[in-house]
Amino acid sequence: MASARRRTLLKVIVLGDSGVGKTSLMNQYVHKKFSQQYKATIGADFMTKEILVEDRLVTLQIWDTAGQERFQSLGVAFYRGADCCVLVYDVNVKRSFDTLDNWREEFLNQASPSDPKNFPFILLGNKIDIDGGNSRSVSEKSAQDWCAANGNIPYFETSAKEDYNVDAAFLSVAKLALDHERNQDIYFQTLPEASSTEPTEQRGGCAC
Ligand code: GDP
Ligand code: MG
């Protein structure tokens, strides 16, 4: 009975140039909040969100870069065990699109996934709200082409500010990560469905 509700923890990494809106997208997705103020992310770690994906309870552990993305020195622990990598650029800043190749390579080098060709990436083109799209410097077509050339990466245009496409993008992330995790399961089937790990306070007993 309980096994159908086994929890799955999925590690998601969000990468891209500083200022493209990585922290804002995460905040909008997890906390439904947006702040206009720019605060370099400090002391980063991760935010978690629980969602149901195809009837399965999934905990997304979404890792933010503590602003170190400027130095591209995130360290191996940051990347280790990732199930999906979200690349973000700002549709109004061409340079943030041009650096995507570097971010993708950096991820593959550092995380060294067992099957790099099939590792799930997803691309978000953020800040599409700015100036009603008139200040765009990267077309949707260019982004789609980049995605096609890099193994058919799914692409979403988003606005963290207006909460546009944010849920849809992260749902897609969760699905991709879940598929990836299923494929990796063969290596990680050592944990039993231990009843000892279930929180005792949820059993309806006395807490005294
Ligand atoms: P990060 O360095 O990639 O984590 O970027 P932040 O999330 O800190 O965002 C950088 C700046 O862009 C902040 O001032 C945000 O308020 C702003 N920002 C982020 N996303 C959007 C968006 O979708 N639209 C607009 N207009 N501004 C955004
Ligand atoms: Mg940040």
Side-chain angles (χ1 to χ4, degrees):
M1 254 198 323
S3 60
R5 288 281 165 190
R6 191 162 58 103
R7 267 157 206 264
T8 306
L9 181 69
L10 299 172
K11 180 173 177 179
V12 175
I13 307 279
V14 183
L15 288 179
D17 282 3
S18 186
V20 296
K22 300 181 297 298
T23 305
S24 300
L25 284 161
M26 292 169 62
N27 259 325
Q28 183 57 268
Y29 180 58
V30 176
H31 302 302
K32 291 278 160 236
K33 277 190 197 145
F34 176 78
S35 162
Q36 199 78 245
Q37 265 175 324
Y38 179 76
K39 280 188 236 133
T41 315
I42 299 167
D45 27 39
F46 52 79
M47 299 181 195
T48 57
K49 174 145 169 149
E50 295 207 328
I51 52 166
L52 267 178
V53 183
E54 290 149 14
D55 230 22
R56 191 152 165 194
L57 191 57
V58 163
T59 304
L60 282 186
Q61 190 184 68
I62 311 168
W63 285 61
D64 200 0
T65 63
Q68 300 113 311
E69 69 268 34
R70 269 166 275 187
F71 318 112
Q72 296 218 353
S73 61
L74 295 162
V76 174
F78 179 76
Y79 295 97
R80 190 181 293 133
D83 294 297
C84 182
C85 176
V86 181
L87 298 171
V88 185
Y89 78 99
D90 177 343
V91 299
N92 310 284
V93 179
K94 176 78 163 46
R95 200 185 55 88
S96 70
F97 180 71
D98 294 337
T99 53
L100 289 173
D101 288 314
N102 300 348
W103 284 118
R104 189 173 167 279
E105 253 169 56
E106 168 84 357
F107 176 84
L108 291 173
N109 286 338
Q110 298 283 343
S112 30
S114 50
D115 187 5
K117 278 219 168 80
N118 292 314
F119 187 87
F121 286 91
I122 191 162
L123 179 64
L124 309 187
N126 192 40
K127 304 199 191 182
I128 60 158
D129 59 280
I130 290 185
D131 203 12
N134 289 321
S135 61
R136 272 186 90 124
S137 52
V138 181
S139 68
E140 189 169 354
K141 168 86 167 57
S142 308
Q144 298 279 14
D145 288 348
W146 186 86
C147 288
N150 285 281
N152 289 324
I153 295 177
Y155 178 57
F156 290 84
E157 303 227 308
T158 58
S159 165
K161 183 178 179 186
E162 297 188 348
D163 195 11
Y164 176 78
N165 241 357
V166 178
D167 276 10
F170 278 100
L171 181 60
S172 182
V173 166
K175 285 181 178 164
L176 286 176
L178 194 56
D179 281 349
H180 179 257
E181 192 257 5
R182 278 186 186 130
N183 294 335
Q184 300 284 300
D185 256 3
I186 191 160
Y187 301 111
F188 297 109
Q189 272 175 352
T190 47
L191 288 175
E193 279 178 32
S195 54
S196 59
T197 59
E198 283 189 21
T200 45
E201 69 270 22
Q202 285 181 8
R203 292 178 174 245
C206 155
C208 52

